[in-house]
Amino acid sequence: LFAADTNIFVFAKKRCDAYKKANEILQSVYKYTYANKLHINTGKSCYVEFPKSKTTHNQNENDTITLEINGLKLEKVTTTKFLGVTIDEQLNWHAHLTKLTKKLASCSGMLNRIKDNIPTKIHKDLYHTLFENHLTYGITVWGGVPASRIEPLFKAQKRCMRIMFGDKEAYLDEFKTCVLTPVLCVDTTA
């Protein structure tokens, strides 16, 4: 029997209280899994601390407070991937957007290599299948970032469109009726 990813969120007014509470919960989880002959892979287990403010976090960097499962310390990380979205401790989505930009560049390169061997009539479907699905995945979570942070994604999208559809006229004609990602607006009136 395998269990998927599990998250535990712990809140407390004081940092030490949050760690104490978290360790109590982890001990209860361990007892439950042990009693039910389940295994927790501590090698893949980690935790992220979401500080109230950056200054509070920096003051406590040298603390020796840790989280443990059955005496094994869990790794504290600044970013983690959950359901395909990279979450960082500041919740600013910088790490996710950086990875997404690289992923989109890779998709554009792949589309550039295969587009000449595939009928033109399915280029639009290829764009939606192999590029846009990455662009829009999890957008309800990270899509509220400032426009300046989304600029690299917009440039990656424009590059992919140029690769798939050539010049601006061809691109605009191809997407007259297509609804693009709401965050990444394209001016089709020019």
Side-chain angles (χ1 to χ4, degrees):
L1 180 65
F2 293 94
D5 295 347
T6 302
N7 288 297
I8 300 170
F9 293 91
V10 178
F11 302 92
K13 289 186 179 189
K14 293 182 180 177
R15 187 170 177 260
C16 61
D17 292 341
Y19 274 83
K20 182 180 177 187
K21 193 188 234 183
N23 276 316
E24 289 170 0
I25 292 169
L26 289 172
Q27 184 61 28
S28 296
V29 168
Y30 174 76
K31 286 178 182 177
Y32 173 84
T33 57
Y34 184 79
N36 290 285
K37 297 182 178 11
L38 298 171
H39 173 73
I40 298 173
N41 187 344
T42 53
K44 289 185 175 182
S45 300
C46 63
Y47 70 97
V48 177
E49 181 181 341
F50 300 102
K52 287 182 181 180
S53 69
K54 197 171 187 174
T55 55
T56 304
H57 184 64
N58 289 338
Q59 291 171 354
N60 297 319
E61 269 186 34
N62 297 322
D63 284 352
T64 57
I65 304 174
T66 61
L67 293 183
E68 299 178 357
I69 297 179
N70 194 32
L72 298 172
K73 291 182 181 181
L74 297 182
E75 179 184 7
K76 181 179 180 181
V77 296
T78 57
T79 63
T80 188
K81 194 170 187 177
F82 181 67
L83 298 175
V85 177
T86 304
I87 302 169
D88 61 87
E89 65 185 353
Q90 297 300 322
L91 294 175
N92 62 17
W93 309 109
H94 178 73
H96 179 74
L97 296 175
T98 301
K99 286 181 181 183
L100 180 57
T101 302
K102 288 178 184 176
K103 175 71 131 180
L104 295 176
S106 175
C107 291
S108 291
M110 179 179 53
L111 288 168
N112 190 36
R113 287 189 298 278
I114 67 172
K115 75 173 179 129
D116 295 332
N117 301 318
I118 294 172
T120 306
K121 65 182 180 183
I122 66 167
H123 282 190
K124 188 173 174 180
D125 291 334
L126 279 174
Y127 166 79
H128 290 299
T129 305
L130 300 176
F131 186 89
E132 191 178 56
N133 69 331
H134 294 293
L135 184 62
T136 59
Y137 182 78
I139 200 164
T140 55
V141 176
W142 59 263
V145 299
S148 61
R149 288 244 183 96
I150 295 178
E151 186 67 26
L153 300 179
F154 183 64
K155 287 179 180 178
Q157 183 184 37
K158 286 191 334 187
R159 181 176 184 273
C160 183
M161 297 245 185
R162 273 188 246 109
I163 287 169
M164 295 303 292
F165 308 110
D167 64 353
K168 187 176 181 180
E169 282 183 33
Y171 150 73
L172 292 176
D173 186 49
E174 197 67 33
F175 282 87
K176 272 184 185 170
T177 59
C178 176
V179 177
L180 293 179
T181 309
V183 173
L184 304 172
C185 300
V186 177
D187 183 9
T188 59
T189 59

